[in-house]
């Protein structure tokens, strides 16, 4: 199996409560960064009956590869163990040098029916193109977060985001640059503008780039996963998951970042 197939088979084994397959595919010292799941393979396996009891399922919408990292955009149903009946997640799996599942990060948010743009949190393109532009697009995404979301050079927004089309999937933001400006103006007027403080990881495959950042919103620490699609050197589409960093009821002490 190639790396994407390994991760897809692993995810299927989790949902089917198939410990034998998981043990074949996974490093025994599996490192878990979801704050509510214990670290280690066997403790994770012991939690699987809870998913079975709830009938939890996952639909993979997009899957990308950057070296030993596989990053996915998923919809979870019957997902009350994760916080709501329907959830949207970004999941990142790191494979070790032997092709074993070694580490997992994620962020999740409830699925929203009505959105400001009329788009869903997961729809539209999943087709990878421009593989030769992967590194250039990763550099663009990192600079975009630093300049726009971390406030280094916010007036450069049109250097990164297309003024002709920008399809927005954040449920509270309308399409286009005008949608971004509108929500920034509103949040600023409420003294509640989110603040990105650090980029922890940038992963890309061709025209798609995922940035993993931390910051603050509403006075609390948050995790920000932003997936961007690029065309001709500009971001033309955006999906995200924003999750508050929990401080209580933690099942492990690995934190939600800790990328190598």
């Amino acid at each position: 199996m190639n790396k994407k197939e390994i991760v897809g088979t692993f995810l299927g084994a989790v949902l089917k409560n198939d410990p034998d397959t998981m043990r074949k595919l996974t490093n025994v010292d599996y490192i878990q960064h979801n704050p509510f799941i214990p670290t280690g393979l066997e403790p994770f396996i012991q939690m699987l009956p809870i998913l079975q009891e709830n009938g939890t399922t996952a639909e993979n919408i997009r899957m990308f590869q950057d070296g030993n990292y596989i990053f996915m955009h998923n919809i979870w149903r019957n997902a009350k163990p994760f916080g709501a009946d329907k959830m949207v997640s970004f999941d990142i799996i790191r494979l070790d040098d032997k092709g074993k599942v070694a580490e997992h990060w994620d962020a999740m948010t409830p699925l929203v029916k009505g959105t400001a743009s009329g788009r869903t949190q997961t729809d539209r393109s999943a087709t990878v193109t421009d593989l030769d532009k992967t590194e250039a697009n990763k550099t663009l995404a990192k600079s975009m977060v630093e300049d726009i979301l971390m406030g280094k050079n916010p007036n450069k927004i049109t250097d990164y985001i297309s003024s002709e089309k920008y399809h927005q999937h954040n449920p509270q933001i309308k399409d286009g640059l005008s949608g971004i400006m509108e929500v920034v103006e509103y949040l600023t007027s409420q003294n509640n503008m989110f603040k990105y403080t650090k980029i922890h990881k940038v992963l890309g495959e061709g025209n798609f780039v995922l940035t993993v950042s931390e910051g603050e919103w509403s006075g609390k620490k948050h995790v920000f996963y932003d997936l961007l699609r690029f065309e001709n050197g500009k971001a033309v589409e955006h999906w995200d998951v924003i999750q508050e960093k929990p401080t209580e009821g933690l099942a492990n002490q690995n934190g939600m970042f800790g990328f190598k």
Side-chain angles (χ1 to χ4, degrees):
M1 292 187 290
N2 63 37
K3 293 176 181 179
K4 289 182 181 180
E5 290 170 339
I6 290 170
V7 170
T9 303
F10 169 76
L11 179 59
V14 170
L15 296 172
K16 295 174 184 175
N17 190 8
D18 180 358
D20 290 341
T21 297
M22 290 178 65
R23 290 187 181 106
K24 291 176 183 176
L25 297 176
T26 310
N27 190 309
V28 66
D29 297 321
Y30 176 66
I31 302 169
Q32 179 62 254
H33 293 274
N34 180 306
F36 301 118
I37 299 176
T39 199
L41 177 58
E42 294 304 322
F44 182 32
I45 286 174
Q46 291 172 16
M47 290 192 64
L48 298 185
I50 297 173
L51 302 183
Q52 288 267 294
E53 290 169 9
N54 283 270
T56 304
T57 62
E59 178 186 359
N60 175 244
I61 307 300
R62 296 171 181 83
M63 181 182 290
F64 308 104
Q65 179 180 339
D66 187 341
N68 282 341
Y69 289 91
I70 304 296
F71 53 109
M72 298 171 284
H73 200 184
N74 296 318
I75 297 175
W76 297 81
R77 296 181 174 86
N78 299 321
K80 289 183 180 178
F82 297 136
D85 186 55
K86 295 180 180 178
M87 302 284 286
V88 177
S89 75
F90 283 108
D91 291 86
I92 301 172
I93 294 284
R94 180 179 66 82
L95 301 179
D96 65 20
D97 292 337
K98 296 180 180 178
K100 295 271 191 176
V101 173
E103 199 162 3
H104 170 257
W105 299 260
D106 69 355
M108 307 186 80
T109 190
L111 186 70
V112 176
K113 288 185 177 180
T115 66
S117 68
R119 307 180 190 282
T120 74
Q121 289 156 279
T122 60
D123 67 350
R124 289 186 53 85
S125 176
T127 302
V128 175
T129 62
D130 301 331
L131 287 174
D132 60 322
K133 297 179 181 178
T134 296
E135 292 305 316
N137 286 335
K138 288 171 66 174
T139 298
L140 274 172
K142 182 175 183 292
S143 296
M144 175 179 163
V145 172
E146 290 173 340
D147 282 341
I148 310 306
L149 298 173
M150 296 178 74
K152 290 185 177 181
N153 293 287
N155 59 324
K156 294 178 66 176
I157 189 167
T158 54
D159 289 357
Y160 300 106
I161 297 176
S162 172
S163 57
E164 297 178 1
K165 65 174 179 179
Y166 187 64
H167 302 306
Q168 180 63 256
H169 297 271
N170 178 300
Q172 298 178 341
I173 306 176
K174 297 175 184 177
D175 279 348
L177 285 171
S178 60
I180 297 173
M181 299 299 187
E182 181 180 318
V183 77
V184 168
E185 182 178 343
Y186 172 75
L187 290 175
T188 301
S189 72
Q190 300 297 307
N191 194 29
N192 193 33
M193 183 61 188
F194 49 77
K195 299 176 183 178
Y196 283 52
T197 57
K198 184 175 181 178
I199 302 170
H200 283 270
K201 195 68 176 176
V202 180
L203 297 169
E205 184 178 13
N207 54 330
F208 286 91
V209 179
L210 177 70
T211 63
V212 182
S213 311
E214 70 174 307
E216 298 180 2
W217 194 21
S218 301
K220 297 179 180 180
K221 301 286 187 180
H222 278 72
V223 179
F224 299 92
Y225 278 60
D226 292 277
L227 180 67
L228 297 159
R229 182 171 66 85
F230 287 90
E231 285 182 4
N232 301 317
K234 295 286 183 76
V236 296
E237 196 154 12
H238 171 254
W239 302 259
D240 66 359
V241 166
I242 301 171
Q243 179 183 334
E244 181 182 337
K245 285 181 66 177
T247 58
E248 299 178 350
L250 305 182
N252 67 70
Q253 299 299 317
N254 295 327
M256 296 184 73
F257 303 109
F259 291 94
K260 296 180 179 179

